[in-house]
Amino acid sequence: KRIRPRQCLPVIPQGIGRSRFFLAIDELSSQLGNENVEVNDKPLDDGWYMEPPNTHDGMAITDEEELVASAVVYPGSTDDVQKIVQWANKYLIPLHPISMGRNFGYGGAAPRVRGAVVIDLGKRMNKILDINPDDSTCLVEPGVSYYGLYEEVQRRGYKHLWIDVPDLGGGSVLGNALDHGVGYTPYGDHWAMHSGLEVVTPTGEVVRTGMGALPGNNTWQVFPYGFGPFIDGIFSQSNYGIVTKMGFGLMPNPGGHESFLYTFEKEEDLEQLVEIVRPLRIAMILENAANIRHALQVLALSGKPRSAFYEGEGAFPREKMNEHLKDHPYGACTWLYFGTCYGPKEARQLKLDIIHREFMKVPGARRIDPAVLPPSDYFWSRDKIASGEPDLEELAWVNWWPNGGHVAFSPVAPTRGVDALRLWQMAKKHWIASGLDFFLDFVVGLRELHLIVECVYDRDDPKQRSTALEVMRSLIDEGAEEGYGEYRTHLLLSDQVAGTYSWNDNALMKFNEKLKDCLDPNGILAPGRSGIWPARYRGRGWEI
Ligand code: ADP
């Protein structure tokens, strides 16, 4: 357990006096109940994945006190959320909504503006409002986790329904989709699979999008577009509203599945492999998001710390990696491809045969026979995730350093060999120079690949923390110079990433700011989220 004692008085947001702030807090407590408004005057407890803090980032990459909440409030209904928003407008207090606060590697529950009031939606608004077994849809509140949804589908005995889960199953179904998270069944693009939002706007109105705007409809979760402009997009990765309900399509059980694993020997094999993957993925012969992983992560997935494999300084040596992998069932290699085929045996065998034929064109490629892998092998965790069962195995690699934290560089590229290789070389250069290890995962959505470079550090080592942040900054700039942009980023890197999307004299950010000022004239909702600052904050030294 890592708990920070605190010497200071509770933090309060800038621009409001201490006594007025506490007066405002008393007013909110009288509206929501004392038990639903908590001033953040306790030590900062980092908790762990299943008990994440809601006051700060449990994996802080700068001093914990920099991005810390003044208070946390727990609404129990959409009506409560409206009250909180109206209150914030009255006192000009910044708000930061979270669903469950498990956004690890991207800032966790921390607000971008120090002293903002965190709205922890997940604690009380955690109902599964509907699972429709005929339409294969669901409607959830922010506090519904993948585990929660999975268990409810099982409890109701809906054997014909699957859910789609990301690498870790404890997060919010709604929060993950809002941040463009992905999972590993054919329904892995969570945002694409959503249908319908209920949103509280920054001025306190409630809007339902798509068919949800039609009173008496029975189509909210089956047709996302409704009539008129499709506004859902402005509520993802933004600060234009607080989402209180969200609908999704659920995948039908495909009648069987089979996971597979191939290993590739050399670093350069990445180019040929990605060229093979592209047409297969676009044609959906490769049916789920590809996971092309660098093999160092296999050592970390054992849960053992780095020191169990190597005591030296600097980037983890390749020879050491091979030496340890030799004793592993996967053998010495550089890249691993984890995938899954779906359907009854005959249907999936056709696809598995094509994949085998194509993958084996890479010299030195090997298929790992799942039958030889023990039940504890990581392969079976991927198999679970790819068939819609939540899992936590992925947490193991965070223990690479004591007090492990991680931060990600997540650029998007076309699924082309040259691009994958270029990104790999860029990452490798910084990996070696920084001496901090990187875990790399090329996730092929459909036509694009998201490279996720996780940089791991010791949270109690200020040097490692600042190196990790610096290395991310360099990668973002270098990536942008080559034409690669991030699909998601840490809240401290949002301004920089937003700045790389600068085409036509920053036309996109100008548009975003215009929307922000129109929807949130007092600038109370998540100022700075995704690099979007309200007028009240712009040009006053907040951007970094
Ligand atoms: P997780 O889903 O992993 O638990 P969070 O709850 O931390 O993650 O959500 C990720 C991010 O998405 C948050 O930092 C916040 O900025 C935003 N967010 C989450 N839930 C909502 C919501 N209901 N409305 C608006 N923004 C949200």
Side-chain angles (χ1 to χ4, degrees):
K1 274 249 174 179
R2 187 170 176 279
I3 302 177
R4 280 282 163 120
R6 306 178 75 195
Q7 276 91 34
C8 52
L9 288 167
V11 166
I12 59 162
Q14 270 190 31
I16 182 167
R18 192 163 278 274
S19 53
R20 188 165 157 81
F21 177 72
F22 287 106
L23 197 79
I25 288 287
D26 285 347
E27 186 182 306
L28 191 63
S29 304
S30 67
Q31 287 187 58
L32 300 185
N34 286 335
E35 67 286 10
N36 295 319
V37 180
E38 265 176 18
V39 172
N40 179 22
D41 54 4
K42 293 163 208 70
L44 296 178
D45 182 351
D46 282 353
W48 71 293
Y49 179 78
M50 289 312 280
E51 288 162 15
N54 57 13
T55 47
H56 66 290
D57 182 3
M59 287 188 174
I61 195 160
T62 53
D63 192 292
E64 280 74 358
E65 291 287 349
E66 271 185 42
L67 302 169
V68 76
S70 55
V72 183
V73 296
Y74 301 102
S77 63
T78 302
D79 191 48
D80 280 355
V81 177
Q82 288 178 274
K83 284 187 191 139
I84 296 165
V85 166
Q86 283 151 5
W87 166 86
N89 275 286
K90 176 173 166 192
Y91 291 100
L92 298 181
I93 290 174
L95 297 173
H96 178 69
I98 59 166
S99 285
M100 298 180 87
R102 293 207 175 88
N103 204 17
F104 285 121
Y106 296 111
R112 174 65 179 80
V113 167
R114 184 168 193 257
V117 170
V118 164
I119 310 179
D120 183 337
L121 295 145
K123 186 177 171 197
R124 297 173 66 212
M125 295 175 72
N126 53 12
K127 286 186 283 304
I128 297 169
L129 299 167
D130 186 34
I131 300 177
N132 187 313
D134 302 321
D135 298 335
S136 300
T137 58
C138 68
L139 180 68
V140 295
E141 289 190 326
V144 176
S145 71
Y146 293 97
Y147 273 104
L149 185 58
Y150 176 80
E151 279 156 18
E152 186 59 17
V153 169
Q154 306 313 306
R155 198 189 63 78
R156 294 192 194 184
Y158 294 151
K159 299 251 177 292
H160 66 296
L161 289 184
W162 273 18
I163 68 163
D164 185 278
V165 298
D167 295 275
L168 290 167
S172 156
V173 174
L174 180 155
N176 181 287
L178 284 183
D179 227 13
H180 301 164
V182 299
Y184 299 95
T185 73
Y187 274 38
D189 182 345
H190 293 162
W191 178 255
M193 292 303 161
H194 100 272
S195 183
L197 300 177
E198 180 185 87
V199 186
V200 174
T201 71
T203 41
E205 295 86 20
V206 190
V207 177
R208 288 190 176 179
T209 68
M211 299 308 290
L214 188 82
N217 81 82
N218 57 2
T219 42
W220 197 16
Q221 271 64 70
V222 292
F223 182 62
Y225 306 125
F227 180 75
F230 183 51
I231 60 169
D232 292 39
I234 68 163
F235 298 109
S236 73
Q237 287 196 359
S238 81
N239 48 14
Y240 300 150
I242 300 171
V243 179
T244 46
K245 294 182 179 63
M246 190 164 183
F248 293 92
L250 298 173
M251 180 169 146
N253 181 340
H257 77 280
E258 190 169 334
S259 296
F260 55 89
L261 167 60
Y262 287 81
T263 64
F264 302 88
E265 272 178 5
K266 299 190 296 294
E267 289 181 11
E268 317 77 83
D269 291 343
L270 181 66
E271 184 168 10
Q272 189 183 359
L273 174 61
V274 169
E275 284 297 300
I276 290 170
V277 165
R278 183 184 57 250
L280 295 180
R281 181 71 187 102
I282 294 176
M284 301 223 206
I285 290 167
L286 288 168
E287 291 167 276
N288 68 338
N291 241 208
I292 306 173
R293 288 209 168 184
H294 189 273
L296 181 64
Q297 206 165 5
V298 172
L299 301 186
L301 281 162
S302 67
K304 289 188 206 146
R306 182 189 210 257
S307 55
F309 301 101
Y310 177 63
E311 294 271 16
E313 295 276 309
F316 198 92
R318 213 201 130 82
E319 320 76 67
K320 276 275 161 213
M321 177 179 94
N322 283 343
E323 199 182 299
H324 288 289
L325 282 173
K326 267 208 272 318
D327 305 327
H328 193 279
Y330 302 169
C333 61
T334 305
W335 304 107
L336 304 130
Y337 186 109
F338 291 95
T340 304
C341 280
Y342 300 88
K345 178 85 182 143
E346 319 79 68
R348 61 181 195 250
Q349 196 58 48
L350 286 170
K351 294 171 267 187
L352 286 165
D353 289 345
I354 299 171
I355 293 162
H356 185 71
R357 192 187 68 217
E358 293 299 311
F359 279 18
M360 292 309 285
K361 287 180 180 166
V362 181
R366 286 196 313 129
R367 177 177 171 272
I368 306 296
D369 180 4
V372 307
L373 299 173
S376 59
D377 191 89
Y378 175 67
F379 175 87
W380 299 113
S381 164
R382 293 255 48 109
D383 181 63
K384 260 171 95 176
I385 290 168
S387 54
E389 207 182 316
D391 197 55
L392 295 178
E393 198 73 6
E394 199 68 30
L395 283 174
W397 56 261
V398 183
N399 297 328
W400 193 239
W401 294 106
N403 285 310
H406 59 100
V407 60
F409 168 60
S410 315
V412 177
T415 308
R416 293 190 204 137
V418 283
D419 291 278
L421 206 56
R422 198 178 296 152
L423 283 172
W424 156 241
Q425 280 158 355
M426 194 186 295
K428 187 179 162 190
K429 187 179 80 183
H430 287 278
W431 176 354
I432 291 167
S434 69
L436 289 177
D437 292 319
F438 288 1
F439 297 134
L440 284 91
D441 199 352
F442 288 90
V443 181
V444 181
L446 191 61
R447 290 174 171 80
E448 94 297 353
L449 56 87
H450 296 34
L451 167 60
I452 315 289
V453 181
E454 290 283 8
C455 175
V456 272
Y457 56 88
D458 175 348
R459 281 178 286 161
D460 274 342
D461 183 335
K463 175 85 180 56
Q464 282 204 3
R465 294 211 294 203
S466 62
T467 308
L469 201 56
E470 274 162 36
V471 91
M472 290 293 120
R473 291 209 177 275
S474 310
L475 280 165
I476 292 165
D477 281 344
E478 231 170 279
E481 271 165 39
E482 304 256 352
Y484 304 113
E486 278 60 62
Y487 92 98
R488 186 178 189 180
T489 198
H490 192 281
L491 83 171
L492 280 172
L493 301 168
S494 296
D495 293 320
Q496 187 188 359
V497 168
T500 64
Y501 285 78
S502 61
W503 181 80
N504 192 18
D505 194 21
N506 298 303
L508 181 61
M509 184 48 81
K510 286 178 188 164
F511 183 82
N512 286 341
E513 287 175 350
K514 213 182 267 184
L515 271 181
K516 180 68 180 163
D517 295 342
C518 165
L519 295 172
D520 186 7
N522 290 322
I524 51 104
L525 191 60
R529 165 111 166 106
S530 292
I532 305 165
W533 291 96
R536 204 152 65 82
Y537 288 76
R538 282 202 290 279
R540 302 216 158 112
W542 288 94
E543 299 90 342
I544 48 173

